[in-house]
Amino acid sequence: MSREVSAFLGKHGFVQNVDVDDVAEAILYDMDQGLHGKKADQDMIRTWTLPPEKKPCNKSVIVIDAGGTNFRSCLVTFDQNGVPAITEMEKTKMPGVERELGKKEFFEQIAKNLDHLKDKADCIGFCFSYPMEITSDGDGILTSFSKEVKAPEVVGSKIGACLSDALVANGWKKPKSVMLLNDTVAALLAGAANPASGNVYSSYVGFILGTGMNSAYIQPPLSDVPGFEKADVIDCEVGKFCSIPRSDFDREFDATSAKPGTFYLEKSCSGAYLGPVSYYALKAAAKEGWLSEKFAAEILKLPTLTLIEIDGFLHAPYKTDNTLGGLLAKYGSKDDYNFVFEVLDAVVNRSARYAAAILVASVLKTEQGHDKTRPVCIVCNGTTFYKTYRTNGRVKACLEESLTKKRGLSWHAVQVENDITLGAAIGGLIRG
């Protein structure tokens, strides 16, 4: 990195090369605090479940995926060999996005969305990616909505029980079970239920790095925590972790966010925020004279930047159909090209190193990976992880250094096709 960019980032408190092990240790400390009922940033939600010991065979399950503006539902059928088939997939609007709904209407709309699957299975796996407390029977009590869903009367409700009642009211047979889980736990279960031929894993981690970010892992029994005599999958809500260094750009953006003063790690790492943080960095550079006068003036005219624009420039700096590439081609100098590229690369690199720290902490919490033939399986999901400039490779390089070389632990990062759908299906059958 050039001296100029190093000086600029240093002036604003931007840590270029986050120490993966230091951040991992801080995350681990916070995890332990949460598991022991002490004040912690992460929620450390018990799911009261473990991956099944065998693949499900000759079973069908209704799967619902609700976690944004879209509501997806389908039927997943496992054949005699445990091979899944996804059928009757439909996508509609998430209830409560277009207008505010009362509790009864919210669940009635969900039931209506499921008309095409009526009584086609007696178990339901519901990937419901909103903050909730998982109960010991596999249901989930909603603690708050996010992502613009407007249904305040639903907060505090048992989602599975309310959905079951709504389905019965719409002429369904009462479901045998409705299992609630989030996308990170679903990813973990998908990896556990579909290991590649010839592989045996000692434990599992689920990781999402897309618009948002989170992790889940299998926590061994805790002898000093009452009621934790058995292993359990833990949903960490790691995006809430706040004990990380923040730059001026992070603080400026955070002040404009929907929930300022929260989710520091997610705002430094996930796809929804990399564009805005980069935007504030380039605005500062423009105001302070680090960029040429004409180009700086154009940067200051931009209303914002998205990750798609940032990533497009990093992959192909001289393409002119990209916002930054077009402005640089018309107004920028060679030095501007290099300065912008290095600043944006630093933002993306920091994201990758934070992601690696989360995975290091999660793998260490499993207490597995010591047997080279039975690594910890890390199921990774999300467009930011797989498509953002050099992120996938950088994360794996950090894991190789921190887990393999320093600690002698074995791990295997995998991508499972349709992982959220299949994981939700597995979840739906665990208590079925």
Side-chain angles (χ1 to χ4, degrees):
M1 184 169 289
S2 67
R3 290 179 180 176
E4 289 81 2
V5 173
S6 293
F8 167 68
L9 295 178
K11 173 186 175 182
H12 290 279
F14 188 97
V15 179
Q16 300 177 37
N17 290 298
V18 170
D19 189 306
V20 172
D21 286 315
D22 282 354
V23 175
E25 289 297 334
I27 292 172
L28 280 167
Y29 176 80
D30 190 73
M31 286 177 164
D32 285 335
Q33 292 288 100
L35 288 170
H36 288 82
K38 300 178 182 178
K39 182 176 176 57
D41 292 338
Q42 299 169 84
D43 291 337
M44 304 304 287
I45 301 167
R46 295 188 66 175
T47 65
W48 309 91
T49 192
L50 283 172
E53 295 181 0
K54 296 180 180 179
K55 288 183 177 182
C57 297
N58 298 316
K59 291 185 178 181
S60 293
V61 57
I62 293 168
V63 170
I64 308 168
D65 181 5
T69 58
N70 293 319
F71 181 99
R72 298 177 178 85
S73 55
C74 65
L75 186 72
V76 177
T77 301
F78 295 89
D79 68 13
Q80 60 186 8
N81 298 312
V83 177
I86 301 171
T87 59
E88 303 195 51
M89 175 70 77
E90 285 194 6
K91 182 175 75 172
T92 57
K93 285 283 187 182
M94 178 67 189
V97 170
E98 295 181 337
R99 63 182 179 86
E100 183 172 317
L101 301 177
K103 178 178 176 179
K104 182 179 180 181
E105 189 177 8
F106 178 82
F107 287 104
E108 283 179 345
Q109 284 203 13
I110 292 181
K112 185 177 180 181
N113 287 346
L114 299 176
D115 276 347
H116 65 295
L117 298 170
K118 184 176 180 180
D119 292 335
K120 293 190 176 179
D122 58 4
C123 296
I124 298 175
F126 196 165
C127 183
F128 192 73
S129 296
Y130 300 94
M132 58 182 172
E133 175 191 346
I134 300 298
T135 57
S136 58
D137 60 356
D139 208 333
I141 300 174
L142 180 70
T143 57
S144 66
F145 266 125
S146 58
K147 307 169 189 175
E148 307 305 318
V149 175
K150 299 173 285 293
E153 289 183 9
V154 180
V155 175
S157 302
K158 293 186 74 172
I159 301 300
C162 290
L163 174 58
S164 181
D165 290 343
L167 292 175
V168 171
N170 277 267
W172 286 54
K173 297 176 183 176
K174 186 175 179 63
K176 187 176 179 181
S177 66
V178 182
M179 170 78 170
L180 273 289
L181 68 167
N182 76 356
D183 50 4
T184 317
V185 175
L188 184 154
L189 292 176
N194 296 277
S197 178
N199 286 306
V200 175
Y201 297 114
S202 54
S203 193
Y204 296 88
V205 169
F207 181 62
I208 307 289
L209 182 60
T211 303
M213 187 240 351
N214 195 20
S215 67
Y217 72 96
I218 300 178
Q219 170 64 48
L222 293 169
S223 59
D224 57 346
V225 178
F228 218 129
E229 292 80 13
K230 296 181 180 180
D232 198 355
V233 175
I234 301 295
D235 165 20
C236 302
E237 297 299 325
V238 69
K240 291 185 175 181
F241 184 67
C242 286
S243 296
I244 56 172
R246 293 197 302 154
S247 68
D248 294 339
F249 322 132
D250 297 304
R251 291 187 177 88
E252 191 173 359
F253 164 65
D254 180 50
T256 70
S257 66
K259 294 183 178 180
T262 62
F263 289 87
Y264 288 173
L265 186 52
E266 183 165 282
K267 290 173 182 175
S268 301
C269 192
S270 67
Y273 307 109
L274 296 183
V277 170
S278 300
Y279 169 71
Y280 282 104
L282 293 184
K283 275 186 63 176
K287 291 176 180 177
E288 296 168 12
W290 297 93
L291 304 172
S292 66
E293 187 174 348
K294 288 184 178 180
F295 179 62
E298 295 302 315
I299 287 294
L300 292 175
K301 292 178 184 177
L302 292 175
T304 188
L305 283 170
T306 66
L307 176 57
I308 292 174
E309 293 169 312
I310 300 303
D311 187 52
F313 175 77
L314 289 173
H315 274 104
Y318 292 94
K319 286 190 69 172
T320 57
D321 60 354
N322 175 275
T323 299
L324 292 172
L327 291 178
L328 282 162
K330 193 171 183 179
Y331 303 102
S333 66
K334 180 180 177 181
D335 288 341
D336 289 332
Y337 270 97
N338 289 330
F339 191 95
V340 171
F341 188 94
E342 290 183 15
V343 168
L344 301 185
D345 188 45
V347 172
V348 172
N349 181 57
R350 184 182 71 166
S351 169
R353 296 183 74 84
Y354 276 140
I358 293 165
L359 290 175
V360 168
S362 299
V363 169
L364 291 177
K365 285 299 292 177
T366 70
E367 300 180 8
Q368 298 296 324
H370 302 283
D371 184 339
K372 298 297 182 185
T373 67
R374 301 175 72 249
V376 175
C377 178
I378 303 173
V379 184
C380 298
N381 175 289
T383 53
T384 302
F385 182 84
Y386 286 108
K387 294 186 177 181
T388 300
Y389 181 73
R390 295 184 62 189
T391 295
N392 187 347
R394 281 170 163 166
V395 171
K396 291 178 180 177
C398 290
L399 296 181
E400 182 70 20
E401 181 66 29
S402 182
L403 292 175
T404 307
K405 293 181 180 179
K406 290 185 178 180
R407 295 178 172 89
L409 297 177
S410 184
W411 54 276
H412 185 196
V414 303
Q415 183 175 16
V416 178
E417 187 176 2
N418 297 313
D419 54 356
I420 306 305
T421 299
L422 295 180
I426 297 296
L429 292 172
I430 286 176
R431 290 180 175 84

